[in-house]
Amino acid sequence: MMTRPNRLRIGLALGSGAARGWSHIGVIRVLEEAGIRPDIVCGTSIGALVGGVYAADKLGELETWLRSLSWSDVVGFLDISMGGGLIKGSRLVGFLGDRLGESDIADFRLPFAAIATDLHTGREVWLEKGPFLEVARASISVPGLFTPVLRDGRYLVDGGLVNPVPVSLARAMGADIVIAVDLGADMIGRHDVSHSASTAAVPPEPGDGLMGRLQAGFVSLFSGSGSDPAMPPPPSMIDVLTTSINIMQIRITRSRLAGEPADAVIAPRLAHFALLDFHRAAEAIDEGRRAAESILPQIQALLGPAQPPESDHPTAQPQAAR
């Protein structure tokens, strides 16, 4: 009987970062082109969304759709809510369900898990089973912006509050080598909050009727205004909220990566991206590719000689989470 060669199990930990998260696609493409195929995928917030789609083997469909996304499309997904958050998110989730299907994590090609935060206890929650869109919706629920998700009797919000780059989860799922993507590495000190809402510079295309007017008014929350044209406008209410969360997540990321280091960290430089710049997917994907290519030699050195083909080794299985 032929002995299967030892093989390091590779974990991919995709971090939080709103629209900057489309850069995860560029990172994944570079790894694939280099023959580096993760055995385990986990993510937080936007990293959970992209990571889950990749684990389900549907990244191509997502990328095609993102490259066609316009600013007016982004505005169209804003389903305004007055309770628990400004956006319900049901319109976006429904659209993704139509495009990507309503798959369950258990049916994914690769083991996958996401991070969320228990709003009541503040504890980190590992989501390893159930409908993917529900899991992703819980992980991306930025406090104050998206309404929380009720799951198993508890309200869940953005996992970036407790674990923005989920290296620890990848290790717990059995990864020997963890490649992490940190979307906030260049945010502090390089980001002018008064100009961060770049989408506000593009006038939204209002829809008809009351909902169109509400959406246009809602988007105005993302842009500040000042009385003195010679001075930069003050940050908007939403910009203050999201930038504050970014600062918190960056500090948490630095602390957690110091105690739970990844073997390689890929850091796309997208500090100039605003919260709702989801229509700038092509730019984000390109930056993800650049960042991954710059660190690819380090990753290849970690892995050593070429790994056996995926069919030559058993699929990694997630371990029990806490």
Side-chain angles (χ1 to χ4, degrees):
M1 182 175 181
M2 182 178 296
T3 302
R4 182 183 292 114
N6 292 330
R7 184 186 189 280
L8 296 174
R9 290 185 291 180
I10 304 170
L12 183 62
L14 303 180
S16 61
R20 302 191 302 277
W22 298 150
S23 62
H24 289 315
I25 297 174
V27 169
I28 291 169
R29 294 306 189 202
V30 168
L31 294 177
E32 286 186 328
E33 290 164 7
I36 301 170
R37 294 177 174 82
D39 303 277
I40 295 163
V41 181
C42 59
T44 298
S45 197
I46 192 67
L49 177 60
V50 176
V53 172
Y54 174 55
D57 203 19
K58 294 186 177 181
L59 194 62
E61 292 94 322
L62 178 64
E63 181 176 359
T64 298
W65 171 63
L66 290 177
R67 288 183 179 277
S68 68
L69 198 63
S70 69
W71 168 233
S72 59
D73 292 329
V74 174
V75 174
F77 290 125
L78 303 180
D79 46 356
I80 301 169
S81 169
M82 293 296 114
L86 294 175
I87 303 174
K88 290 184 291 185
S90 56
R91 188 175 298 170
L92 175 60
V93 170
F95 182 86
L96 290 175
D98 292 339
R99 293 296 189 278
L100 303 173
E102 298 182 3
S103 55
D104 192 281
I105 289 175
D107 300 324
F108 282 2
R109 177 177 61 92
L110 296 171
F112 169 78
I115 299 283
T117 303
D118 187 320
L119 185 60
H120 178 66
T121 66
R123 292 178 179 173
E124 180 176 332
V125 179
W126 293 358
L127 305 175
E128 299 177 287
K129 60 182 179 180
F132 167 61
L133 292 178
E134 176 185 291
V135 167
R137 174 64 179 80
S139 189
I140 68 172
S141 296
V142 178
L145 184 61
F146 282 97
T147 56
V149 171
L150 181 62
R151 178 182 165 95
D152 298 330
R154 53 187 174 183
Y155 281 102
L156 303 180
V157 294
D158 194 337
L161 298 178
V162 290
N163 197 347
V165 184
V167 174
S168 58
L169 177 54
R171 299 278 189 207
M173 294 174 69
D176 300 304
I177 297 290
V178 177
I179 302 169
V181 183
D182 179 5
L183 300 179
D186 70 330
M187 294 293 289
I188 293 181
R190 299 176 181 270
H191 185 53
D192 183 356
V193 298
S194 67
H195 292 86
S196 67
S198 61
T199 51
V202 182
E205 300 173 17
D208 295 329
L210 176 61
M211 183 53 67
R213 293 194 296 272
L214 284 173
Q215 288 174 340
F218 175 74
V219 172
S220 69
L221 292 173
F222 289 82
S223 59
S225 59
S227 57
D228 186 351
M231 298 293 291
S236 69
M237 179 188 75
I238 298 297
D239 206 21
V240 171
L241 172 64
T242 57
T243 303
S244 298
I245 292 175
N246 280 337
I247 292 171
M248 176 193 66
Q249 291 186 355
I250 292 164
R251 299 299 186 189
I252 293 172
T253 298
R254 291 179 179 178
S255 176
R256 295 206 61 154
L257 287 181
E260 304 162 345
D263 296 283
V265 178
I266 299 171
R269 305 179 69 83
L270 291 167
H272 57 290
F273 262 54
L275 177 74
L276 289 184
D277 280 351
F278 294 104
H279 60 294
R280 300 170 66 186
E283 182 180 348
I285 293 170
D286 288 346
E287 173 55 21
R289 292 190 67 96
R290 185 210 62 78
E293 288 168 351
S294 69
I295 202 171
L296 186 59
Q298 176 187 335
I299 297 173
Q300 291 171 323
L302 282 170
L303 297 176
Q307 300 284 292
E310 187 172 345
S311 59
D312 286 348
H313 64 89
T315 302
Q317 295 298 322
Q319 298 176 353
R322 296 289 181 267

